[in-house]
Amino acid sequence: MSEIIIMTIVKKALVAGIMVAGPILMISLIVGLIISIFQATTQIQEQTLTFVPKLITIILVMVILGPWMLNKLVLLTTELFSMISTITR
């Protein structure tokens, strides 16, 4: 097994991980920023005010984008399983 194959596998896994986690992280960041701006302007310093909206939006993003994320991970897994025969030679 050469280093090129290993680097290709690692690159594909990292890209898939970023593509799957990216939308959740970006939406969470945007919602957190909006809530923080709201808290700063109204001077409400309640801890649960930031947690609950983030949790709800993350659940919504996972419901909406869940099939796409699962499809990306399944494609990566099937590609890795098909590469097993070439790697072990």
Side-chain angles (χ1 to χ4, degrees):
M1 182 162 59
S2 69
E3 293 83 18
I4 296 172
I5 296 173
I6 294 172
M7 292 305 294
T8 304
I9 293 171
V10 170
K11 179 183 173 188
K12 287 181 183 182
L14 286 174
V15 168
I18 290 170
M19 287 182 68
V20 168
I24 294 174
L25 293 174
M26 290 303 293
I27 295 296
S28 177
L29 178 73
I30 291 169
V31 169
L33 183 63
I34 291 170
I35 299 287
S36 296
I37 291 171
F38 175 74
Q39 280 184 324
T41 56
T42 60
Q43 295 182 354
I44 299 173
Q45 298 302 322
E46 181 65 32
Q47 294 296 327
T48 58
L49 187 62
T50 60
F51 181 72
V52 174
K54 279 187 196 178
L55 185 63
I56 291 170
T57 55
I58 288 172
I59 290 171
L60 285 174
V61 168
M62 289 186 70
V63 166
I64 293 169
L65 295 178
W68 175 78
M69 292 176 184
L70 184 62
N71 187 27
K72 286 289 182 186
L73 293 175
V74 166
L75 286 175
L76 176 68
T77 305
T78 55
E79 187 176 349
L80 289 176
F81 281 155
S82 67
M83 291 177 65
I84 288 176
S85 63
T86 60
I87 292 172
T88 56
R89 288 182 192 171

